[in-house]
Amino acid sequence: MSKVYVLLYIHTDKVEYSEVLGVYTSRTKAVDELLERANYRQNNGILTQYMKPTTEYESFDVLRTMVEDKMELYDVDIYRIEVHKLL
């Protein structure tokens, strides 16, 4: 039985702005895409959001581990990975 990972963007102010951002067969790819869509990156070892340094999380690795564990990032809006089993 295979799994797919559905990346959701949930707009907390206007639910009609919510959308499916992608469907992935790899959990790692889904986590990578969630971080990219939430605009978090690592630049020369510094965590950035929208290309500006941020101290919201200790590091990119800490943020990535948190997303891998929770399969979700609450950042004003919500980015969530739902796992679905294929028959």
Side-chain angles (χ1 to χ4, degrees), residues 54-71:
T54 182
T55 58
E56 192 171 351
Y57 300 96
E58 186 178 326
S59 68
F60 187 81
D61 291 335
V62 167
L63 174 59
R64 180 179 189 79
T65 298
M66 185 192 78
V67 169
E68 287 173 342
D69 291 345
K70 294 182 179 181
M71 300 291 276

Side-chain angles (χ1 to χ4, degrees), residues 7-55:
L7 177 56
L8 305 172
Y9 167 70
I10 303 165
H11 194 284
T12 55
D13 293 330
K14 293 196 173 200
V15 73
E16 62 269 18
Y17 292 167
S18 299
E19 61 182 310
V20 173
L21 297 177
V23 178
Y24 307 93
T25 56
S26 161
R27 179 183 173 126
T28 300
K29 178 62 178 158
V31 170
D32 290 344
E33 192 65 20
L34 183 152
L35 293 167
E36 179 78 19
R37 294 297 192 110
N39 291 292
Y40 284 99
R41 293 171 184 81
Q42 181 168 258
N43 186 5
N44 294 324
I46 298 170
L47 176 63
T48 64
Q49 186 181 30
Y50 297 105
M51 303 297 187
K52 296 180 182 178
T54 182
T55 58

